[in-house]
Amino acid sequence: MNRISIDPITRLEGHGKIDIFLDEAGDVANTYFQVPELRGFEQFCVGRLAEEMPVITNRICGVCPEAHHMAATKALDALFGVEPPQAAHKVRELLYSAFFVTDHTTHFYALGGPDFIIGPDAPPAERNLLGVIRKVGPEIGRQVIDCRARNHHVIKTVGGRAIHPVAGLPGGWSRPITKAERDEIAAIAEKNVQFARFTLKLFDDLVLKNPQHLDLITSEAYTHRTYYLGVVDPANRVNFYDGKVRVVAPDGAELMQYHPSDYAAEIAERVEPWSYLKYPYLKRVGWNGFTDGAESGVYAASPLARLNVSDGMATPLAQEEFERFFETLGSTRVDGRYTPVHFRLATHWARLVELLYAAERMRELALDPEIVSPKLRAEPGPVTGRGIGCVEAPRGTLTHHYEADARGVLTRVNMIVGTTNNYAAMTMSVRRAAESLISKGRVEEGILNRIEMAFRLYDPCLSCATHAAVGKMPLTLRIRSASGAVIRTIVRQG
Amino acid sequence: MAEKPKLAIYWAASCGGCEIAFVNLHERFLDAAAAFDLVFCPCLLDTKRREVEALPDGSIAVTLFNGAIRTEENAEMARLLRKKSRLLIAFGSCAHEGCIPGLANLSGTDQLLRTVFLDNPTLDNPQAILPAAISPVPEGELTLPPLLDRVRTLAQVARVDYAVPGCPPEPERIWEVVETLARGGELPPPGSVIGAGTLSVCDDCARKKGDKRVERIYRTFEKCPEPETCLLEQGFICMGIATRSGCGAPCPDANMPCTGCYGPPEGVADQGAAMASALGSILDPGDCRGLNEEEIAQRVASLVDALPDYAGTFYKYSLAGSILGGRVRR
């Protein structure tokens, strides 16, 4: 049996490794997507002071520490049985919106977007931020850098630090916003709205008006009919900061809505001996292997999933884009809600709809008179024993679950992080891409990027801007015979 | 045009925050990228490792190594990059001191695997499967790098020339380091900490310091701090007094205590011991006249019991690199 290894694939939450096995006929027999990294937060957080979790769990991911900080802080609200003042919720959500703007921007311009802006088959040295600058003009490079800089400035102002913020407390937030800071933040939010609209226009011109790109997006190679999961507000609209978890079936029917604190009744995680990452699935449906369809508990939690589970967006401009998204991709309204879009590459577009929502929501919050309230803390009560906090991270639903003794010392910790939700779906996407590109032992030269595209659309987490921006993402693909001898090597230099 | 110095940026067990801090040089990031030939970046695994191995020893000018040493593979890469690099820099708290992943040394690797894969509220693992170094699958064999018995710092597996502290290092400090390296500027003696100050965070903290006597330890959720006074004097465990300067004290500025991510100040070997010593001289058991020995001991105990996790508080970032190293095992 022949074997193809792609190692490293790119950076997710750890290194990744793909093995593709070919059968006797030279077709894909199976693919394995391994995560060979484990730090074990669930173990070493036990014994820690519960209130330290927003700072400790920041270090799960330096790309999205804000998400962990927020999930941890909300878990502490529950653990200490305290409801923060409304103003504190707003300040948290303001920081969180700025974070979504910078994170989604980075992804579109530096990580996933270049596949479309430059083209999926362009040389890798071109498919990066510098290539985008060459194609769209130097002004765009400056705009992207400005966008990241101004939103990290907001994160530092509101959260104390630009990376690994510190202000989250059970029952509130440590640092009020001054009026002068509010004015600055409101101006930044306005720029963000304009920037998001510009970005959607760019996507329209370069991708949607290009029939080849549109064909690629809607091709079967990048389509999976799975369940979708995401947080919605009381009106069933997308919400990143708070709400109930809604799950819809492949046909769009609502399977359930549950309170995040009931997550363990609905989600289970499978273990495979060849990976340090677990595979979550929907317990109500059950595990049915790496398969699509209504019989398989595999689900996706991503920008695409969030749009698919929602009735709409809570801000006007994003709502317009939401409708255009579903109409363009052939979705129909059933009982007032669009049927799900299963084209996984449409996740890039969904991300931009969310970018616009995040910018609009940030503007609303910045202009809310309560945002400058000095009173951001409510007094925590005694430890309740258990606290579960949930937010939407850019890459999917993030859940932190803490149990603590009466002194507030942690006795048990569990987390299901954004990327992990999608592990089974990513595995399937990699397999489908491989199947569509490999036949009779013939490996298309474009396989490296096409497979990269299959997982990059879910999660750029640590395929971070550092590398993609300078065009260095070296990949080596080996095809080996059953004896282990390398019969072919494809190297893509950065 | 003269050949640009070769730069490698490798990450081991880390969160990616060091890379993001690098990108947060913002417009200067492009200058930094242009000053070097970034030869190995992002990650150098397996196949790519062979290409690194093929390089002449010492041909990489600088390797910025972030992340702790958690797996065999991390350790191998550290040794390889040491051999190939003229300067190996422990970049960020993980490589420098083990950081948060180093807290795993408070228990064993077996316990860690059990908790994650066998004893967890959302598990579906009836066959009690644990990840294995080698797994037979129908189509062949899959491998995973095994975890080491404990988390190590970079310096515990390879000779390190310099350390850049911080979780993550602040972009301003990164720029100083990168700029110095790019122009071949003068560096302090090998073994030094660069990209940071030599004093303590208190020296950069704007809060007013006065009489350091603490009658009670407060946890951060227990009261709202007064905005202008030293947090330690208010009874919060602010690690600033035992932490190296360089960050600009952003945490106390946001009304939260320093948690010590820049490691110990110059000349201090063990951050946790320094904090214990500082606290020992600050904690005030009050007027003990007329109390017998047992009563005094009780009063002191009630003072220190207010903080039920000294290891995780004092050694949050520095456990793996500390004199303690972690829990003593058989």
Side-chain angles (χ1 to χ4, degrees), chain A residues 466-467 469-472 474 494, chain B residues 4-10 22 29 32-42 60 62 64:
Chain A
T466 327
H467 321 101
V470 293
K472 295 276 181 185
Chain B
K4 289 189 211 169
K6 289 185 169 53
L7 174 72
I9 300 178
Y10 183 73
F22 207 96
F29 172 67
F36 291 95
D37 178 12
L38 269 161
V39 281
F40 303 114
C41 169
I60 301 171
V62 184
L64 299 178

Side-chain angles (χ1 to χ4, degrees), chain B residues 85-318:
Chain B
S85 311
R86 299 198 288 284
L87 286 182
L88 178 64
I89 297 181
F91 188 85
S93 175
C94 285
H96 180 210
E97 302 189 288
C99 197
I100 299 281
L103 289 172
N105 291 358
L106 290 171
S107 56
T109 299
D110 290 352
Q111 181 61 40
L112 188 152
L113 292 172
R114 273 202 302 278
T115 300
V116 175
F117 297 103
L118 300 179
D119 176 24
N120 180 304
T122 43
L123 275 179
D124 166 17
N125 189 10
Q127 291 170 291
I129 293 168
L130 286 176
I134 299 171
S135 302
V137 293
E139 299 84 5
E141 214 170 57
L142 298 172
T143 59
L144 281 178
L147 300 187
L148 295 173
D149 62 338
R150 61 171 61 202
V151 174
R152 288 171 171 77
T153 67
L154 182 59
Q156 288 168 352
V157 297
R159 182 175 57 80
V160 168
D161 297 294
Y162 298 103
V164 177
C167 180
E170 289 290 330
E172 284 301 318
R173 303 284 87 78
I174 295 175
W175 178 248
E176 287 167 15
V177 170
V178 167
E179 194 269 333
T180 303
L181 292 170
R183 65 176 162 80
E186 200 180 325
L187 289 163
S192 301
V193 165
I194 57 174
T198 55
L199 304 171
S200 77
V201 170
C202 303
D203 290 279
D204 289 341
C205 178
R207 287 175 176 270
K208 289 196 207 91
K209 289 107 190 159
D211 182 20
K212 290 209 176 355
R213 277 157 62 89
V214 172
E215 288 169 9
R216 205 207 119 165
I217 291 173
Y218 286 92
R219 288 165 67 183
T220 49
F221 61 85
E222 288 183 302
K223 70 171 182 183
C224 196
E226 190 283 316
E228 287 179 1
T229 310
C230 167
L231 291 169
L232 187 58
E233 287 168 23
Q234 296 185 58
F236 297 103
I237 300 297
C238 182
M239 291 286 291
I241 198 168
T243 302
R244 185 182 286 268
S245 59
C247 59
C251 303
D253 191 49
N255 302 319
M256 293 298 276
C258 166
T259 56
C261 79
Y262 261 68
E266 194 74 32
V268 174
D270 190 292
Q271 189 179 20
M275 190 63 200
S277 149
L279 205 59
S281 61
I282 293 165
L283 279 179
D284 180 5
D287 189 353
C288 292
R289 279 175 299 187
L291 299 181
N292 66 31
E293 219 166 278
E294 197 181 321
E295 287 166 326
I296 294 170
Q298 214 163 32
R299 193 179 280 199
V300 173
S302 73
L303 256 179
V304 298
D305 283 353
L307 193 74
D309 177 29
Y310 281 95
T313 307
F314 289 5
Y315 291 97
K316 189 173 279 119
Y317 304 92
S318 66

Side-chain angles (χ1 to χ4, degrees), chain A residues 11 464 466-467, chain B residues 9 11 14 16-24 66:
Chain A
R11 299 173 143 204
C464 59
T466 327
H467 321 101
Chain B
I9 300 178
W11 76 320
S14 70
C18 286
E19 280 92 343
I20 296 296
F22 207 96
V23 180
N24 279 6
N66 74 74

Side-chain angles (χ1 to χ4, degrees), chain A residues 1 3 7-8 10-17 19 21 29-30 32 34-44 46-52 55-56 58-63 80 129-130 133 145 148-150 152 156 159-164 166-170 174-176 263-264 267-278 281 283 287 377 379-381 401 403 407-409 412-416 462 464-467 469-470 472-476 478 486 491 493, chain B residues 9-24 26-27 29-30 33 37-39 41-48 50-51 66 70-71 73-74 99-108 111-113 115-117 119-126 129-133 135-147 166-171 219-225 247 250-251 253-257 259 261-262 305 307-309 311-313 316-317:
Chain A
M1 186 169 290
R3 174 179 189 155
D7 177 12
T10 185
R11 299 173 143 204
L12 305 165
E13 284 169 64
H15 311 302
K17 189 171 158 189
D19 271 279
F21 290 93
N30 208 350
Y32 293 89
Q34 296 176 267
V35 176
E37 275 282 320
L38 175 70
R39 284 170 294 156
F41 278 76
E42 284 136 328
Q43 165 60 24
F44 63 70
V46 170
R48 309 285 75 76
L49 306 178
E51 71 271 21
E52 296 288 332
V55 162
I56 292 175
N58 276 344
R59 273 78 183 184
I60 289 174
C61 179
V63 181
F80 287 89
L129 179 56
L130 298 184
I133 292 170
I145 287 171
R148 290 191 77 262
R150 66 176 177 256
H152 271 103
K156 180 165 184 166
R161 291 188 81 196
I163 301 170
H164 301 333
V166 296
L169 283 162
S174 77
R175 192 196 178 286
Y263 84 110
I267 307 287
E269 297 181 282
R270 284 183 65 81
V271 178
E272 294 288 353
W274 39 264
S275 185
Y276 283 122
L277 194 61
K278 294 175 273 192
Y281 68 92
K283 282 168 94 166
W287 178 256
R377 293 179 65 163
E379 201 175 321
H401 169 174
E403 292 173 23
R407 301 171 303 163
V409 174
R412 198 176 207 207
V413 172
N414 190 32
M415 294 171 220
I416 298 183
L462 292 186
C464 59
T466 327
H467 321 101
V470 293
K472 295 276 181 185
M473 181 112 75
L475 280 177
T476 303
R478 285 168 296 148
V486 176
V491 178
Q493 300 293 352
Chain B
I9 300 178
Y10 183 73
W11 76 320
S14 70
C15 72
C18 286
E19 280 92 343
I20 296 296
F22 207 96
V23 180
N24 279 6
H26 300 310
E27 70 281 359
F29 172 67
L30 296 178
D37 178 12
L38 269 161
V39 281
C41 169
C43 34
L44 320 166
L45 293 172
D46 234 28
T47 52
K48 197 65 184 169
R50 264 178 247 140
E51 290 168 43
N66 74 74
R70 173 72 273 187
T71 64
E73 185 178 59
N74 300 151
C99 197
I100 299 281
L103 289 172
N105 291 358
L106 290 171
S107 56
Q111 181 61 40
L112 188 152
L113 292 172
T115 300
V116 175
F117 297 103
D119 176 24
N120 180 304
T122 43
L123 275 179
D124 166 17
N125 189 10
I129 293 168
L130 286 176
S135 302
V137 293
E139 299 84 5
E141 214 170 57
L142 298 172
T143 59
L144 281 178
L147 300 187
C167 180
E170 289 290 330
R219 288 165 67 183
T220 49
F221 61 85
E222 288 183 302
K223 70 171 182 183
C224 196
C247 59
C251 303
D253 191 49
N255 302 319
M256 293 298 276
T259 56
C261 79
Y262 261 68
D305 283 353
L307 193 74
D309 177 29
T313 307
K316 189 173 279 119
Y317 304 92

